[in-house]
Amino acid sequence: MTTPTIAQAYATCEDITRTEARNFYWGIRLLTRQRRSALCAVYALARRVDDIGDGDLPLEEKAAQLETVRKELSALDRSTDPVLVAVADAARRYPVPLEAFEELLDGVWMDIEGRRYGTFDELTEYCRCVAGSIGRLCLGVFGHRPHPQAAHYADALGIALQQTNILRDIREDLLTGRVYLPAADLDAFGVELAVDERGVLADPDGGLANLIRHSAARAREWYADGLRLGPLLDRRSGACCLAMAGIYRHLLDRIAEQPSAVFDRRLSLSGREKLGVAFRALGGRAA
C-alpha cells in the first residue's frame, strides 16, 4: 500500500470526523487549523477503536482487531494507514499521550466482554478508560499553561461526558444487552431495567426517573471539576473544550429535567442549539 502524504492523511481524518462526530465536530471546528487537523486524527483513531467494540463481528475477531491496533500503535512511524500516519504526525507536533489509546482499548474490551458494574467507583474506572483517555489526548493537542491538575481536569471532563452518554443511551444499550448503571444504584432506587411491549423503558413507580436525576446531579459535579481546565487553555482551544462540554452538559440538563425523554428514543440537541453552545464557547462561556 502506498504511504499517503501527510496532507492526504489528515484529509481522511477530517472527513471521518466531519461525518461521524456529530457533537464533537462543533467544538473541533473552533480550533486553529493545525490543532484541528491533529484532533481529527485523534478522533479518527478513537472512532476506529469504538467501531470495533460496537460492530457485529464475533468476540474472537473483535479481540484480534483490538490487538492489531495495539501493535500498530507501537509501530506508527512505519504505517501506511492514513489515520495512523496522521496520528504519528500529530504526536510529533504535539505532546499527545499515545498511551491513552491503550486505555481506550482496555475500555472497549470491557464493552466487548459485556462487563457490568457493581458500584459507581467501578463504573468510573470504565469511564476513565473510554472517555477520560480522550480528554487527556485532547489536552495534548490543546496545549495548556503548566498546572499540576491539568490532566486530572481533562480526565474528569471526559468522565462527565461519558456519564451523560450512559444516561442518554440507557434504552439503546439495554436493547443490545449492555447495562452501565451500577447495580448498587439500581438496587438503591428499586429499579429493574426492562422495556415494555412497545419497546419503551418501564418505570412503574418512578424509580428510574429518580435514579436518572440522581446520576445527572453526580455527573454535574464531574463537569464542575473538569471545566476548571478551560482557563488553562488558549482562547481557541478553550472555546473547543467549552463547546464540546457545553453540548453534553446541555443534553444532561435536558435529561435531568425530563428523564422520560430517554425512555423511548435517543435524545439529541438540534443543530441550532449546538451552534448556540459553540457561539457562547467562543465568548468563553460554558453552558
Side-chain angles (χ1 to χ4, degrees), residues 57-68:
L57 294 173
L59 186 148
E60 295 79 8
E61 181 62 25
K62 289 184 177 184
Q65 290 193 9
L66 291 183
E67 185 58 29
T68 295

Side-chain angles (χ1 to χ4, degrees), residues 118-163:
T119 67
F120 182 72
D121 285 344
E122 293 175 7
L123 178 63
T124 299
E125 285 306 307
Y126 163 76
C127 293
R128 182 165 285 113
C129 285
V130 297
S133 60
I134 305 301
R136 283 173 270 122
L137 286 162
C138 290
L139 180 64
V141 173
F142 291 158
H144 59 90
R145 290 193 292 107
H147 192 286
Q149 294 296 308
H152 165 78
Y153 297 151
D155 193 62
L157 202 51
I159 292 171
L161 267 61
Q162 187 62 26
Q163 290 179 58

Side-chain angles (χ1 to χ4, degrees), residues 223 227 241-251 253 269 273 276-278 280-281 284-287:
Y223 278 108
L227 284 170
C241 177
L242 290 177
M244 291 191 294
I247 287 170
Y248 278 84
R249 175 61 194 271
H250 195 68
L251 181 62
D253 288 343
L269 304 184
E273 289 171 317
V277 172
R280 289 193 295 274
R285 292 175 289 151

Side-chain angles (χ1 to χ4, degrees), residues 8-286:
Q8 289 170 335
Y10 278 127
T12 296
C13 293
E14 292 200 37
D15 285 344
I16 292 170
T17 306
R18 190 180 302 109
T19 302
E20 303 294 340
R22 289 184 293 271
N23 287 326
F24 284 152
Y25 194 66
W26 289 92
I28 292 173
R29 66 201 304 179
L30 301 178
L31 289 169
T32 60
R33 176 66 189 175
Q34 285 193 333
R35 293 188 191 275
R36 182 167 69 248
S37 294
L39 201 54
C40 285
V42 167
Y43 175 86
L45 181 53
R47 180 74 191 200
R48 177 177 296 180
V49 174
D50 282 343
D51 285 347
I52 293 171
D54 292 338
D56 298 325
L57 294 173
L59 186 148
E60 295 79 8
E61 181 62 25
K62 289 184 177 184
Q65 290 193 9
L66 291 183
E67 185 58 29
T68 295
V69 175
R70 287 188 193 275
K71 292 177 179 177
E72 290 172 334
L73 281 168
S74 66
L76 280 179
D77 291 336
R78 299 193 297 274
S79 180
T80 58
D81 181 291
V83 171
L84 297 173
V85 168
V87 169
D89 186 73
R92 286 191 290 267
R93 293 173 183 269
Y94 303 105
V96 178
L98 294 176
E99 64 276 7
F101 281 116
E102 297 280 349
E103 295 179 66
L104 175 60
L105 288 162
D106 291 341
V108 170
W109 175 249
M110 295 178 197
D111 281 336
I112 291 173
E113 67 179 358
R115 186 176 302 186
R116 297 196 178 189
Y117 305 93
T119 67
F120 182 72
D121 285 344
E122 293 175 7
L123 178 63
T124 299
E125 285 306 307
Y126 163 76
C127 293
R128 182 165 285 113
C129 285
V130 297
S133 60
I134 305 301
R136 283 173 270 122
L137 286 162
C138 290
L139 180 64
V141 173
F142 291 158
H144 59 90
R145 290 193 292 107
H147 192 286
Q149 294 296 308
H152 165 78
Y153 297 151
D155 193 62
L157 202 51
I159 292 171
L161 267 61
Q162 187 62 26
Q163 290 179 58
T164 304
N165 277 341
I166 288 169
L167 295 178
R168 179 195 63 189
D169 297 340
I170 294 173
R171 174 181 173 274
E172 182 178 322
D173 289 332
L174 181 62
L175 292 175
T176 59
R178 295 179 179 177
V179 174
Y180 293 99
L181 296 176
D185 288 353
L186 293 170
D187 290 344
F189 286 86
V191 174
E192 183 174 347
L193 286 179
V195 294
D196 62 20
E197 65 279 358
R198 300 168 297 157
V200 177
L201 285 171
D203 190 23
D205 58 5
L208 178 56
N210 288 334
L211 171 53
I212 289 173
R213 293 188 187 97
H214 166 80
S215 301
R218 186 166 53 196
R220 287 192 188 103
E221 296 175 3
W222 287 87
Y223 278 108
D225 193 21
L227 284 170
R228 296 177 186 178
L229 178 64
L232 303 180
L233 306 176
D234 65 37
R235 180 174 178 270
R236 297 283 289 275
S237 295
C240 173
C241 177
L242 290 177
M244 291 191 294
I247 287 170
Y248 278 84
R249 175 61 194 271
H250 195 68
L251 181 62
L252 179 72
D253 288 343
R254 184 162 297 177
I255 292 170
E257 181 180 354
Q258 188 182 355
S260 61
V262 300
F263 286 6
D264 62 352
R265 63 190 182 278
R266 188 181 196 187
L267 192 65
S268 63
L269 304 184
S270 68
R272 177 175 292 184
E273 289 171 317
K274 293 174 184 177
L275 180 61
V277 172
F279 182 78
R280 289 193 295 274
L282 272 174
R285 292 175 289 151

